[in-house]
Amino acid sequence: MNYKDLLKRKNEIMKKALKINYDEFEEEGISFNYDMMMGKASYNIEEIRKIQNETKVGNTPLFELKNITKVARTLSAPGKGARIFIKDEATNPSGSFKDRRASIAVYYAKKKGYKGVIAATSGNYGAAVASQANMRGLKSIIAQEVFDSRGYGQPEILEKGRKCEAYGAEVMQLSVGPELFGVLLWVLDDTGFFNASLYTPFAIAGIETLGYEIATELKKREGKNPDAVIITNAGGGNLTGTARGLIKAGSKDTKVIASSVNLSGLHMASDYDFNRKSFTTGHTGFGIPFTTWPDRTDVPRNAARVLRYMDRYVTVTQGEVFYMTEALAQLEGMERGPAGNVSLSAAFSIAQEMEKDEIIIVQETEYTGAGKHPIAQINFARENGIKVKIGNPEDEIPGKNIIIPESPEMIRAKNLDINKLRESYIRNTVKRNELKNVSKIEVKFLIEETKTNINFVISTLEDLGVKVKETT
Amino acid sequence: MNKIIKKGAWVQIELNLLNPGERDLHVPEDTKKVPLILKTKGFLKEDAAIGDEVKIKTIIDREMEGELIAENPSYKHGFGRPVEELIKVGKKLRKMI
């Protein structure tokens, strides 16, 4: 692998591996036409439902978590304690919502005549791509970041690798490092396969059906839109796609809440830190950088842009998620993997602030099994020197300890300051593009990107020393 | 003498993709000190022993070359011991409903 040469040829390789002309969505300066990209490079919701129906994706059950709601109500003030529902995405063919995301990418790859698909991912997405590729008769290669320099692999990722092999994918297991991207380029160049990136318009459009199903089913059953939908956030696709689907189903006032596991202080590309975290995704180590600078991916423009849709962003601790994973099994009879339970943990806390007649929806579950389970994760943490004990989650320090809450009232979703995240997005845009002044079109773009208003954008720009150009 | 692994066996190979000095400029210092390693599996093309440079054909028929490190390695991830800190969670929660 000639890493430097591959990076130089990045644009040429990606063009062949995507067959999407991103140039046509570019507008003045920093702005580009997001809606045009989502419309032109993808399919409408009816087409997506049809494509997903062909490969066993979607129409997953929406369950009310009556017992967990009961516990939340015992801890709430009178009149408080919203009803908590969960969308059982684990019932998709490869066991997670990622099948929605993979289904459209693989369909497109087949239509465009590619012989195979490649995804660089350590998550459930790999299995989803491999599973969908099987149904469409394509080959698949999954490149994963798996182990540290001692050769120790994250149990959760090892399980995901096994699952990819179970679907007949070629699995490339890599040590820690962002050069995974170079490996992706190397294999794309060698095979001529499609880049089934997590961040194409297809990957995001595929998730729209999730939000759409939630809103349409709830309206049928309860005669109303959900008051809040809570979404585990990492790269941003889950939130972006779900929120777009809610809007398409007419559920425009639903609060869209992001939730991530707090892993502050751990460096995601550090060989040493790699095995000192118990979560491989759904954490702040991806969630915050992707929120404040989405265009850090393997495609020219990331279709996952969470600030456009997010109303609130909270964090929970690793120990809280393990506790709620146990609660889901013990109270609701559903043993599910950790990812969706990041939002379940936050929902349990937020429901206590909401009115009794309101509804909050946890929009995913994932499959569970060897490696991908609190028992495996906690044992692995201990082997890596992490202290595990019962106590107050307030005392959890990522990479040092995991605190299993002593009692459920200690589970508290912590708010991140969303305006700070919005300012940070604008700051990153200014820095990366070395902006001295911006046009009115660019200001309009920043308003859309941050879901704010002209005053917010202009005062943030002024603080950064950037002027708005007068146009004639 | 190293045991000979027969042609056609399902094996794992390892490749050193980047040496410590060749790592991306943006990786943290600890990661810069170690190589980027790739492990992958396939069918062995010729008889060989562990430690040999070999060629394999992957499950999708791509040819790869690297050091032979294992014959049909076991999946080692599992569950391990039940976690005592979690065992009482259900009991406590059930009393609350």
Side-chain angles (χ1 to χ4, degrees):
Chain A
M1 179 179 88
N2 187 337
Y3 185 62
K4 280 185 185 153
D5 174 64
L6 286 162
L7 288 189
K8 265 187 221 145
R9 292 172 45 230
K10 177 177 95 176
N11 290 344
E12 164 214 330
I13 296 171
M14 280 302 171
K15 234 174 206 163
K16 268 192 218 152
L18 286 165
K19 293 192 182 158
I20 303 171
N21 180 13
Y22 281 87
D23 293 340
E24 67 175 307
F25 314 128
E26 289 301 315
E27 288 178 338
E28 194 174 299
I30 57 166
S31 66
F32 79 103
N33 194 329
Y34 180 60
D35 292 327
M36 183 183 167
M37 180 174 91
M38 292 306 293
K40 209 164 174 180
S42 191
Y43 305 95
N44 69 42
I45 200 126
E46 283 315 315
E47 288 169 317
I48 290 170
R49 283 165 68 81
K50 193 171 150 273
I51 293 165
Q52 292 183 335
N53 203 26
E54 286 170 7
T55 52
K56 315 178 183 78
V57 178
N59 292 315
T60 56
L62 181 69
F63 297 124
E64 183 166 5
L65 300 180
K66 291 186 177 164
N67 286 339
I68 289 182
T69 301
K70 259 187 210 166
V71 174
R73 284 180 178 169
T74 66
L75 307 171
S76 310
K80 302 278 183 186
R83 295 161 71 191
I84 305 169
F85 285 64
I86 202 164
K87 180 93 166 143
D88 199 13
E89 286 292 292
T91 58
N92 280 304
S94 82
S96 81
F97 88 96
K98 289 280 170 41
D99 287 322
R100 296 183 189 266
R101 213 161 172 167
S103 58
I104 310 304
V106 173
Y107 171 82
Y108 172 85
K110 174 82 179 182
K111 264 193 96 166
K112 289 278 175 182
Y114 289 94
K115 299 283 176 251
V117 287
I118 303 175
T121 167
S122 303
N124 290 326
Y125 187 60
V129 167
S131 160
Q132 289 294 310
N134 284 352
M135 284 182 258
R136 299 272 177 209
L138 297 183
K139 292 179 175 181
S140 61
I141 301 175
I142 308 300
Q144 303 181 312
E145 185 185 46
V146 181
F147 49 87
D148 64 17
S149 59
R150 301 169 303 162
Y152 280 88
Q154 274 272 352
E156 208 186 336
I157 304 177
L158 289 170
E159 164 54 20
K160 288 166 182 171
R162 181 208 61 80
K163 199 164 172 69
C164 291
E165 288 185 343
Y167 292 125
E170 177 183 321
V171 180
M172 305 178 85
Q173 296 183 303
L174 289 141
S175 58
V176 179
E179 298 99 331
L180 174 65
F181 179 61
V183 175
L184 172 70
L185 292 172
W186 178 39
V187 186
L188 287 172
D189 195 38
D190 182 59
T191 58
F193 286 2
F194 178 71
N195 176 20
S197 158
L198 282 155
Y199 305 104
T200 61
F202 312 111
I204 305 310
I207 308 164
E208 289 177 4
T209 51
L210 210 177
Y212 193 88
E213 285 170 23
I214 287 173
T216 46
E217 181 165 349
L218 201 73
K219 189 155 262 175
K220 209 160 74 189
R221 271 165 59 177
E222 303 288 336
K224 62 180 271 185
N225 289 326
D227 297 285
V229 172
I230 185 150
I231 304 154
T232 302
N233 189 44
N238 197 11
L239 189 140
T240 305
T242 301
R244 289 175 60 85
L246 287 168
I247 294 166
K248 286 189 179 175
S251 186
K252 288 183 178 133
D253 298 326
T254 301
K255 289 270 167 291
V256 173
I257 308 172
S259 173
S260 297
V261 175
N262 177 20
L263 286 190
S264 53
L266 296 179
H267 197 301
M268 292 311 124
S270 160
D271 183 60
Y272 179 82
D273 287 348
F274 185 68
N275 281 328
R276 278 165 184 78
K277 55 184 193 281
S278 291
F279 283 77
T280 56
T281 186
H283 56 65
T284 53
F286 293 140
I288 292 177
F290 275 89
T291 297
T292 55
W293 187 246
D295 289 315
R296 52 174 68 244
T297 71
D298 54 355
V299 291
R301 285 290 193 177
N302 186 353
R305 311 187 83 83
V306 288
L307 284 178
R308 284 179 173 254
Y309 302 99
M310 189 191 284
D311 296 302
R312 182 175 172 185
Y313 194 166
V314 300
T315 66
V316 290
T317 67
Q318 300 180 86
E320 287 172 334
V321 181
F322 291 143
Y323 189 98
M324 287 308 298
T325 304
E326 194 65 18
L328 187 64
Q330 297 279 341
L331 292 179
E332 301 290 347
M334 294 172 76
E335 195 189 21
R336 298 291 183 271
N341 299 335
V342 175
S343 46
L344 174 64
S345 306
F348 179 73
S349 167
I350 291 169
Q352 296 169 43
E353 307 162 3
M354 295 170 64
E355 303 299 323
K356 236 176 165 168
D357 59 355
E358 290 187 304
I359 291 174
I360 182 166
I361 295 184
V362 175
Q363 56 72 276
E364 66 160 320
T365 61
E366 63 165 347
Y367 85 100
T368 188
K372 223 169 133 67
H373 191 281
I375 292 179
Q377 290 173 297
I378 290 175
N379 284 321
F380 183 74
R382 281 201 161 114
E383 284 162 26
N384 282 283
I386 310 293
K387 297 256 180 305
V388 181
K389 57 178 186 180
I390 294 173
N392 189 335
E394 294 272 353
D395 300 327
E396 185 169 300
I397 305 166
K400 298 266 189 277
N401 62 22
I402 290 173
I403 314 282
I404 309 295
E406 199 174 338
S407 52
E409 64 266 30
M410 290 178 172
I411 296 171
R412 284 278 157 253
K414 293 248 176 353
N415 285 305
L416 292 174
D417 184 340
I418 194 163
N419 280 335
K420 283 238 165 70
L421 296 170
R422 289 165 171 157
E423 283 165 13
S424 174
Y425 168 85
I426 295 174
R427 192 177 327 113
N428 284 331
T429 309
V430 167
K431 260 200 198 161
R432 288 183 185 249
N433 297 289
E434 297 174 8
L435 297 179
K436 296 274 180 282
N437 48 53
V438 290
S439 69
K440 287 188 175 153
I441 290 175
E442 290 174 300
V443 170
K444 185 172 162 270
F445 174 74
L446 289 173
I447 294 170
E448 287 167 6
E449 282 281 276
T450 53
K451 199 182 177 181
T452 56
N453 52 54
I454 190 154
N455 293 337
F456 182 89
V457 169
I458 288 184
S459 86
T460 308
L461 287 170
E462 277 172 357
D463 288 347
L464 296 162
V466 179
K467 292 194 174 64
V468 181
K469 280 184 273 190
E470 287 303 321
T471 44
T472 48
Chain B
M1 215 182 86
N2 275 344
K3 185 190 150 214
I4 294 296
I5 299 169
K6 290 281 176 207
K7 173 183 172 181
W10 183 245
V11 299
Q12 187 175 41
I13 61 166
E14 183 174 305
L15 291 77
N16 185 344
L17 295 183
L18 294 172
N19 289 316
E22 299 167 330
R23 299 296 304 250
D24 194 280
L25 292 175
H26 302 293
V27 305
E29 287 309 315
D30 62 333
T31 312
K32 263 184 200 161
K33 287 183 192 137
V34 295
L36 181 72
I37 300 289
L38 165 68
K39 292 180 190 178
T40 191
K41 294 181 195 169
F43 300 103
L44 189 59
K45 291 195 78 175
E46 299 295 338
D47 289 4
I50 299 290
D52 289 351
E53 276 299 306
V54 298
K55 283 184 181 160
I56 61 165
K57 212 167 210 190
T58 71
I59 196 77
I60 63 161
D61 297 326
R62 271 195 336 130
E63 196 168 279
M64 295 282 284
E65 220 174 319
E67 183 191 334
L68 183 60
I69 58 165
E71 179 179 9
N72 195 12
S74 170
Y75 292 119
K76 291 197 183 78
H77 65 287
F79 291 93
R81 285 174 204 274
V83 174
E84 285 196 37
E85 287 81 354
L86 289 176
I87 290 172
K88 289 181 187 161
V89 168
K91 245 180 123 118
K92 180 163 189 161
L93 287 172
R94 256 181 243 120
K95 279 189 195 140
M96 296 177 76
I97 58 172

